Structure formats: C-alpha cells, structure tokens
Amino acid sequence: MAAAGLLDTPPEGTFDDLAQLALSITGAQKAFFTVADGRRAFWRSSVGTDPAAGRENDIRGSPCHILIGTGRELIAEVARTHLRIKDLAVVGALGIGAWAGYPVVSPEGRVLGGFCVVDQDARPFTPGQRQALQTLARYTVRAEAGRHTHPSVILHRLHQAMANQRVSGRFLPAALTTFCPADGMGLLGGYAGA
C-alpha cells in the first residue's frame, strides 16, 4: 500500500464526497474508505469523525481486516453481538452499534481495503442501502484510479450505475435532493424522488 501511494495521504474531496453520499443513502453517522497494510487501517476518508482523533487504527482491531481477509461484505446490524466483530477494540472505541462494509477491490482483483458506514445504534440496512454501498465501494476504486477526473464525472457515473441497478428510484431517501461536494465546487448531482 505504501508503495502504491495509498497510505498517509491527505484527505481528498472525492472520497469524502462518496462517503457523504453513503451517509445520505443509509442515514448512518460515520462513513469510511479504509486502506490497510499488515499492521494498520488508514482512513483515506472518514466522514462524521473528529478530525483531531487521527485517521488510522490497528488493523487487527478493525472490521476491515475481515473484509480484506475474505474479500466479502460484512454486515453487522447489532455489532455488540455479531460473532465476527463483537470483540474488536474499535466496536467499543468508536461506539459502533451497526457496521456495514464492502471490500474495495483493485482492477487486478486485490482487496485494497473497505468502504463502510457506521451507526452508533444497532439497526438494519435495507437491501437497497446494501446495494448502494456495494456500488460506492466499486466507484471508490474507480475514483482512486481516476484521481484526476473531476468529482462531478465520478458522481454522474455513480448515479447512472445506481439507476441501472434500480437502486435510485426505489431506495434512495427523498432527502437526497442535492449533493454538494466537500470541496465547495458546486452542485454535483441531485435526486428527485418519485
């Protein structure tokens, strides 16, 4: 990861925009795009967290190590009783009630990390929210590959993909009527519920 330039990078608006979109879709309180090496999980994006708290944690204490190890999604609607994550240090440290994440996989098939949302309360994630998170995980790696692509292009492609998967019309909350990026460059997209 270090050789690929994925660790210890400053925050990037594109990834924060995707994380903010995940919060709008799911109603969760925190969202992360995490990459990892053998010892730590580094948050390329962490929306809903205290910036002064740092942007990494020990990989062994993070649910992301499960995403990386299995290459499969991890949904823990009740984190404190979920067999795979209930004993992880981050569950208590971040006050995780529910956690939903999908692996971020390189075009070569290597799991780079995860894209996840966190809620302080136990709660279900709808099928539409899960599909949207999976789509966002795919677009996170595309955004990484096209870091010089304007965020509006990435968001437009994301909206197209979600519409093709019949997620936008049926599952996006009506509250997602506009989406303004963290970099303040203006409106990137919108959603008008039927």
Side-chain angles (χ1 to χ4, degrees):
M1 293 296 149
L6 297 177
L7 294 172
D8 302 317
T9 59
E12 293 183 44
T14 299
F15 301 124
D16 288 345
D17 291 345
L18 293 173
Q20 187 62 52
L21 185 58
L23 295 183
S24 296
I25 292 167
T26 64
Q29 289 123 359
K30 299 174 186 173
F32 300 88
F33 164 35
T34 304
V35 294
D37 61 13
R39 64 177 184 83
R40 65 184 173 135
F42 177 74
W43 302 330
R44 295 287 309 267
S45 176
S46 58
V47 174
T49 63
D50 179 3
R55 295 178 49 221
E56 67 180 65
N57 62 2
D58 184 331
I59 189 64
R60 295 167 299 192
S62 169
C64 273
H65 85 275
I66 297 169
L67 292 177
I68 293 166
T70 65
R72 297 181 52 161
E73 75 276 355
L74 175 62
I75 309 295
E77 294 179 336
V78 184
R80 72 179 186 284
T81 62
H82 191 276
L83 293 176
R84 300 188 79 188
I85 73 167
K86 68 180 181 175
D87 296 323
L88 297 176
V90 74
V91 172
L94 290 180
I96 297 175
W99 195 94
Y102 286 82
V104 174
V105 182
S106 75
E108 298 79 30
R110 193 174 89 208
V111 179
L112 302 174
F115 188 87
C116 69
V117 294
V118 175
D119 214 313
Q120 73 182 57
D121 298 315
R123 47 87 44 108
F125 294 95
T126 68
Q129 290 170 337
R130 292 176 185 208
Q131 184 66 50
L133 288 173
Q134 186 176 35
T135 300
L136 286 166
R138 281 196 311 274
Y139 270 82
T140 299
V141 79
R142 290 179 187 172
E144 175 61 42
R147 285 169 58 182
H148 301 292
T149 302
H150 191 274
S152 63
V153 173
I154 294 167
L155 188 63
H156 174 72
R157 290 176 186 159
L158 174 63
H159 276 279
Q160 284 180 323
M162 291 171 68
N164 290 342
Q165 294 174 13
R166 301 174 57 119
V167 171
S168 62
R170 292 179 41 206
F171 298 109
L172 289 180
L176 184 60
T177 56
T178 60
F179 182 68
C180 186
D183 65 7
M185 293 185 70
L187 180 67
L188 287 183
Y191 171 73

